[in-house]
Amino acid sequence: MDQYIINKNSQLNGDHEVHNKTKGCSYLPALENQIVIGNFYNCQQAVGQAKATWPTHKINGCYWCSTACHTS
């Protein structure tokens, strides 16, 4: 299982990106802007949990480390 985090700050398009912290990512937000979502087998589970936790936010997977979940 990998640990996933979400950026508490949104991107310019309004998305809060989900990152795979275990595998690493060149685009991880600063530590103070990371919120741990939890440990999951894939980004789909992590994004699903993030959407359930923050239903009013636009949630998207990071293009670089959660590619299968990147939609915009």
Side-chain angles (χ1 to χ4, degrees):
M1 292 179 104
D2 293 338
Q3 183 182 58
Y4 287 85
I5 61 99
I6 190 166
N7 188 344
K8 74 177 186 180
N9 296 318
S10 64
Q11 303 297 309
L12 293 176
N13 67 359
D15 287 351
H16 290 266
E17 288 192 329
V18 171
H19 295 269
N20 184 327
K21 191 168 182 179
T22 301
K23 292 188 178 171
C25 181
S26 299
Y27 297 94
L28 281 176
L31 196 55
E32 64 269 13
N33 295 323
Q34 296 179 20
I35 301 171
V36 175
I37 302 169
N39 296 315
F40 301 95
Y41 288 108
N42 56 52
C43 66
Q44 290 88 348
Q45 291 175 334
V47 168
Q49 179 63 52
K51 287 181 176 182
T53 303
W54 298 283
T56 60
H57 287 66
K58 285 179 56 182
I59 310 287
N60 195 14
C62 171
Y63 176 81
W64 303 104
C65 65
S66 297
T67 308
C69 296
H70 179 76
T71 57
S72 61

